Amino acid sequence: MNAIADRYRVRADAFESKVAAVGAGQWENRSPCEEWNARDVVGHIVDMHGVILRPLGRESGTAPSLKEDPLGAFRAARADVEAVLADPVLMATDHETPAGKMTVEQHIDQVVSADMVVHGWDLARATGQDDTIDPEEVARMWPGAQEIPEQMRIPGAFGPGIVVFGPEVKVPEDAPLQDRLLGLLGRDPDA
């Protein structure tokens, strides 16, 4: 395995553990993402796994229904992406993305893999779980978060209904780095 595949696995393990810990009565709980409940957060991650496969001409494999089995739906989506990460030829394939040309493994790392970190926080918040993000992840994501282009905060800039990041939430400069990161990503760490 390489560093990107290893990082994906660690992030997917962490996200999966949060999905597994959601209680049966918590799936409709509101998340910090304004229009989503806990099930919608998992649905977004599952959908983004599918988006990653499309440039390769692949579709998501057979999966349980998100409504019936959110954990099973995530595990199936994860297996699809891990199959790509296990194929050196596919990982090295270049394709165009909204952020420019990159390899499939870079796209996985920068989009769906990183998404699991942030949306893991959303899911934890929605369901009363520990919402601490691994400090190494926070430090890794901090530089890029400081450089988010304004276009990525404009609803619909990448297609109808697509919101990449919400407006920045002002957080005190002396707040913990996780809180400052969340603010840059459009989340209120105190909500």
Side-chain angles (χ1 to χ4, degrees):
M1 293 291 251
N2 68 18
I4 288 176
D6 288 345
R7 186 164 41 247
Y8 174 87
R9 182 185 42 75
V10 168
R11 289 169 169 176
D13 286 348
F15 189 80
E16 185 172 318
S17 71
K18 286 180 176 63
V19 176
V22 175
Q26 294 181 311
W27 287 109
E28 302 307 314
N29 290 8
R30 299 290 347 138
S31 82
C33 298
E34 198 171 292
E35 299 174 8
W36 292 350
N37 61 29
R39 186 182 318 276
D40 296 329
V41 171
V42 177
H44 169 73
I45 292 295
V46 168
D47 290 346
M48 290 307 296
H49 276 69
V51 166
I52 292 294
L53 299 174
R54 284 187 207 126
L56 299 169
R58 291 180 164 218
E59 296 292 323
S60 299
T62 304
S65 154
L66 181 68
K67 184 172 172 64
E68 305 284 321
D69 184 4
L71 180 59
F74 172 72
R75 285 177 173 160
R78 176 183 181 172
D80 292 336
V81 168
E82 287 180 325
V84 171
L85 288 171
D87 184 325
V89 174
L90 287 178
M91 282 195 315
T93 304
D94 284 330
H95 66 275
E96 288 298 327
T97 75
K101 192 171 190 169
M102 63 179 74
T103 65
V104 170
E105 74 174 344
Q106 290 168 326
H107 197 202
I108 289 169
D109 194 46
Q110 293 177 24
V111 178
V112 75
S113 184
D115 244 16
M116 289 188 292
V117 175
V118 177
H119 290 306
W121 181 87
D122 295 328
L123 187 59
R125 268 295 165 105
T127 58
Q129 298 181 51
D130 180 1
D131 63 7
T132 304
I133 299 172
D134 179 331
E136 287 182 22
E137 290 286 10
V138 172
R140 182 181 296 112
M141 297 174 83
W142 177 245
Q146 294 177 81
E147 298 175 8
I148 293 173
E150 201 53 42
Q151 180 185 13
M152 294 186 109
R153 296 189 187 280
I154 301 170
F158 295 99
I162 296 176
V163 177
V164 180
F165 296 104
E168 180 180 345
V169 174
K170 295 296 182 193
V171 176
E173 288 185 27
D174 63 346
L177 189 58
Q178 174 175 308
D179 291 358
R180 289 183 285 151
L181 173 68
L182 291 165
L184 287 176
L185 299 177
R187 287 155 174 82
D188 184 349
D190 294 325

